[in-house]
Amino acid sequence: AQKITQTQPGMFVQEKEAVTLDCTYDTSDPSYGLFWYKQPSSGEMIFLIYQGSYDQQNATEGRYSLNFQKARKSANLVISASQLGDSAMYFCAMREVNLNNNDMRFGAGTRLTVKP
Amino acid sequence: DGGITQSPKYLFRKEGQNVTLSCEQNLNHDAMYWYRQDPGQGLRLIYYSQIVNDFQKGDIAEGYSVSREKKESFPLTVTSAQKNPTAFYLCASSMIPRGGSQPQHFGDGTRLSIL
């Protein structure tokens, strides 16, 4: 079964506007971590933001925030004041703490294009 | 600067040939990982290692092999048994993720193609 689902293959946003990238996940582990990564066309994966399953508040890092809705098992990334340099692939990932492994499960990604 | 270095950036493989992708990190991380990324898709785990001289298979280990003789190094060999090796390969490292919060840090990747 797919652990991480990103339903938006591509998204467009006007420069300086906000955009939300969707991510839903599936786990029976009560303890898990959720991550968002950015992958520019050059290929490297850049860590953006982390949310723990027991965190009471939504995570924020500069222009990035995570809209964490635990009951709905969603962890949407919000990018405020979009910039042209935000154009990239964005991946949602999850690590389940209580499983005896340390790998992350990645979604298929969303390609964000920021229009001038 | 601390980071992860993958080499080469581009690699071409002939039929029946084994090739080795290098991954070195100076972040003092215990855990290292290899992922494969196909066009337009997410990352799939090939192998990972939490400690020197120990490693575990991921979801798509067939046709690949790894070694972990030093903490800093985790080379990946794509063997001739891997019939469809053309992909983008990413190496990552992290602290041992007790509590799950430690992110993985990635290298710049190696693009492998068949000649």
Side-chain angles (χ1 to χ4, degrees), chain A residues 31 33 35 37 39 41-45 47 50 89 91 95 97 100-109, chain B residues 9 33 35 37 40-43 45 48 50 59 88 90 94 97 99-104 106-108 111:
Chain A
S31 183
F35 304 79
Y37 285 85
Q39 187 180 42
S41 57
S42 52
E44 75 270 28
M45 295 282 282
F47 167 65
Y50 162 81
M89 285 289 290
F91 292 95
R95 175 187 284 130
V97 174
N100 189 24
N101 61 47
N102 293 300
D103 61 310
M104 283 186 183
R105 298 292 173 173
F106 287 81
Chain B
K9 193 171 180 68
Y33 313 82
Y35 292 93
Q37 186 179 26
Q41 297 187 31
L43 280 64
L45 183 67
Y48 67 97
Q50 298 186 61
D59 296 328
F88 187 53
L90 283 158
S94 73
S101 64
Q102 291 83 359
Q104 292 181 5
F106 286 81
D108 290 345
R111 293 191 186 276

Side-chain angles (χ1 to χ4, degrees), chain B:
Chain B
D1 285 351
I4 301 174
T5 302
Q6 290 188 241
S7 63
K9 193 171 180 68
Y10 299 95
L11 187 58
F12 298 92
R13 194 191 89 168
K14 296 179 180 178
E15 292 286 345
Q17 185 181 43
N18 293 352
V19 292
T20 297
L21 284 61
S22 171
C23 179
E24 303 276 334
Q25 55 99 0
N26 60 4
L27 299 168
N28 200 33
H29 286 165
D30 289 303
M32 296 187 74
Y33 313 82
W34 274 106
Y35 292 93
R36 170 179 171 142
Q37 186 179 26
D38 292 286
Q41 297 187 31
L43 280 64
R44 292 184 290 169
L45 183 67
I46 304 173
Y47 269 99
Y48 67 97
S49 169
Q50 298 186 61
I51 195 169
V52 173
N53 292 324
D54 187 52
F55 46 82
Q56 284 76 43
K57 293 181 178 180
D59 296 328
I60 55 166
E62 186 174 350
Y64 300 97
S65 65
V66 293
S67 62
R68 188 87 187 275
E69 296 177 3
K70 299 186 301 182
K71 184 176 182 177
E72 302 80 13
S73 179
F74 192 40
L76 173 74
T77 297
V78 184
T79 74
S80 57
Q82 174 49 248
K83 298 306 179 187
N84 184 24
T86 298
F88 187 53
Y89 291 87
L90 283 158
C91 178
S93 72
S94 73
M95 296 175 66
I96 292 294
R98 297 184 183 90
S101 64
Q102 291 83 359
Q104 292 181 5
H105 299 268
F106 286 81
D108 290 345
T110 294
R111 293 191 186 276
L112 175 62
S113 301
I114 283 190
L115 283 177

